[in-house]
Amino acid sequence: MARSKAGKSVKQDSSKKERRAEQREILLAEVDFLRHQLADEERRRETIEGKTGQLLGQVSIVISIVALFIPLLSDELNVFPLWQKILAVTLFVVVVIAFIISIWIASTTWIINKYGYLRADLEDFYRCGKPRHQEDFLNQHKSLLTEMIPQHVTVNNLKGTKLISAGIAFRLGILLLGILSVLLSIALTVDSNRPTMIETINTTPY
């Protein structure tokens, strides 16, 4: 009887150890999966912020180029009729507004207080008590990752949406700037081919 009871207790202990080992492996796999998810969101954040920086740089370059042509355009507009001046100035103002909107939307994604990310430290691990076993530490790690990942996804989605909106405003500004350039080129070409009053007088037969 004693031997049978001892054998049963040994089997129970071994089965408990096996179950604990299996649970530990499952916890390790879950934590590893969540860590990969968090790493993916970190890479996504870096991509979004990098593209935002590129967009701001492109907008700044375009605005600098446009500013250089303002004195030239103001001189050329003097020869146009009033309705053409109003049309050109209106298009130019809309272009500037589109670029300003693009800069404003893109730059708001860098507000840390509004678009911050959750970070875990040792105090977060110990807020429910210092873990006594590896399983306790893994469970706490899993809980923190489960809390952090949705917040990172939400912030990245907001930043990505704002980046898309800023890109749309930038493309709209480029499109309107191209239309304005084409219209000014056509107007200047037509005006240069139009005979002046002196030429008309000289070509008038006596």
Side-chain angles (χ1 to χ4, degrees):
M1 292 290 293
R3 290 183 178 179
S4 62
K5 288 182 179 180
K8 287 181 180 179
S9 63
V10 170
K11 287 181 180 179
Q12 289 177 354
D13 292 339
S14 63
S15 62
K16 286 182 180 179
K17 289 181 179 179
E18 288 177 358
R19 284 196 298 269
R20 286 190 64 182
E22 290 177 357
Q23 291 176 356
R24 189 183 299 112
E25 289 179 359
I26 292 173
L27 276 174
L28 285 171
E30 290 176 345
V31 170
D32 187 62
F33 174 75
L34 293 173
R35 288 177 63 186
H36 278 88
Q37 275 193 319
L38 186 62
D40 290 340
E41 290 303 319
E42 287 291 330
R43 286 191 291 269
R44 186 169 169 233
R45 176 186 64 82
E46 292 174 358
T47 301
I48 292 172
E49 291 180 352
K51 290 185 177 181
T52 301
Q54 292 177 1
L55 178 62
L56 289 173
Q58 292 172 357
V59 175
S60 301
I61 292 172
V62 173
I63 290 178
S64 300
I65 295 173
V66 171
L68 291 175
F69 283 96
I70 290 178
L72 299 176
L73 292 177
S74 61
D75 294 336
E76 297 295 339
L77 286 175
N78 293 327
V79 299
F80 291 161
L82 179 61
W83 69 271
Q84 291 183 356
K85 292 180 181 180
I86 295 175
L87 178 61
V89 171
T90 303
L91 277 176
F92 183 78
V93 170
V94 174
V95 167
V96 173
I97 291 174
F99 288 145
I100 292 175
I101 291 174
S102 179
I103 292 175
W104 175 261
I105 295 175
S107 60
T108 55
T109 61
W110 287 347
I111 301 175
I112 298 176
N113 295 334
K114 189 176 181 180
Y115 298 100
Y117 292 88
L118 291 178
R119 292 288 186 267
D121 52 22
L122 286 178
E123 292 181 358
D124 295 318
F125 278 97
Y126 297 154
R127 65 186 177 186
C128 296
K130 189 173 182 179
R132 294 178 297 176
H133 304 287
Q134 184 181 11
E135 289 83 358
D136 297 335
F137 185 83
L138 290 174
N139 280 319
Q140 187 64 17
H141 195 185
K142 176 184 173 182
S143 176
L144 290 173
L145 290 173
T146 305
E147 182 181 352
M148 290 166 57
I149 290 172
Q151 194 267 348
H152 283 225
V153 172
T154 301
V155 174
N156 284 337
N157 288 341
L158 289 173
K159 284 187 173 183
T161 302
K162 285 186 172 292
L163 176 61
I164 292 172
S165 301
I168 292 174
F170 176 69
R171 289 192 292 272
L172 177 62
I174 291 294
L175 176 63
L176 294 177
L177 182 61
I179 293 174
L180 177 61
S181 301
V182 171
L183 292 178
L184 287 176
S185 299
I186 294 173
L188 289 173
T189 302
V190 172
D191 186 76
S192 63
N193 292 330
R194 185 181 303 167
T196 61
M197 184 177 295
I198 298 175
E199 291 176 346
T200 304
I201 294 174
N202 292 334
T203 56
T204 302
Y206 293 98

